[in-house]
Amino acid sequence: MISEFLNIIFKSLKLDGSLYNNKKNFTEASIYFALIIILLTSIVSLIPGSVFIQYMTSTYGLTDVKGPSFRSVLISSLIVWVIKTGYLYFVGVVLFPSNSTKCSFRKLLITVAYAYSPFIFYIFIIDIKLIYFTFIPYIWYCITLIIGLKHVLNYENFMKPSIISLAPQILLLAWILSQSFNLNSGTIS
């Protein structure tokens, strides 16, 4: 059982599309594997967060800054997992399905959790000098999610899953850029 779990993680890290085509990876135990991956990556994500908070408190002399509690990190990661899967299900299955898309919410929930596997590498960010490396697992996660969506939703190419999975990030970036260029510098008289 542990070897099956580790096999799922390694296939996800290797960007292996056969992970999502194998029905054995979506059996009854797979929801538990998915839950373990989500909880494990949320626990590991505390490491770069604490490094960043520690750096900010030492650099700027902030004394009352505390990181999020362990419970809030676990609960929020589970909520984000379900919300992200709900978005992908609505957009990928309801709004823009392919001709052969037949995917349940449960299968998509497991796929999103398998895509979280690269976040395990957050454990290596133990110093503020390494904080910029948090983008590498995130980009790896995005690529893994795109591959998983292509196989689970039976899309013919990578364009549709790329747009579906990256649309929220692109819209957020566009909004941030529009807000930064629309700063009004008025004078108070």
Side-chain angles (χ1 to χ4, degrees), residues 134-171:
T134 57
F135 292 110
I136 294 172
Y138 185 76
I139 292 170
W140 197 346
Y141 155 75
C142 290
I143 294 169
T144 306
L145 184 61
I146 290 168
I147 291 171
L149 288 176
K150 179 190 179 294
H151 289 283
V152 169
L153 298 177
N154 294 324
Y155 289 137
E156 295 173 9
N157 56 26
F158 287 104
M159 183 57 98
K160 208 182 248 189
S162 298
I163 292 171
I164 290 171
S165 65
L166 296 178
Q169 290 93 330
I170 293 169
L171 291 175

Side-chain angles (χ1 to χ4, degrees), residues 9 11 24 33 42 60 73 78 109 120 142 146 148 172 179:
I9 290 177
K11 279 189 172 186
K24 185 179 127 186
F33 292 157
S42 65
Y60 297 107
V73 168
L78 292 173
L109 195 69
I120 291 174
C142 290
I146 290 168
L172 179 66
Q179 293 300 313

Side-chain angles (χ1 to χ4, degrees), residues 113-133:
Y114 289 171
Y116 269 66
S117 295
F119 289 136
I120 291 174
F121 291 114
Y122 279 166
I123 200 162
F124 295 117
I125 301 172
I126 55 174
D127 190 28
I128 194 64
K129 295 173 186 165
L130 302 172
I131 201 76
Y132 295 108
F133 289 112

Side-chain angles (χ1 to χ4, degrees), residues 181-188:
F181 291 125
N182 286 337
L183 293 176
N184 294 329
S185 57
T187 58
I188 300 174

Side-chain angles (χ1 to χ4, degrees), residues 5 14 34 55 62 64 67 80 105 117-118 120 131 151 154 157 169 172-173 177:
F5 176 67
K14 290 191 309 186
Y55 171 75
L62 305 173
D64 294 335
V80 167
F105 185 79
S117 295
I120 291 174
I131 201 76
H151 289 283
N154 294 324
N157 56 26
Q169 290 93 330
L172 179 66
L173 181 65
L177 290 175

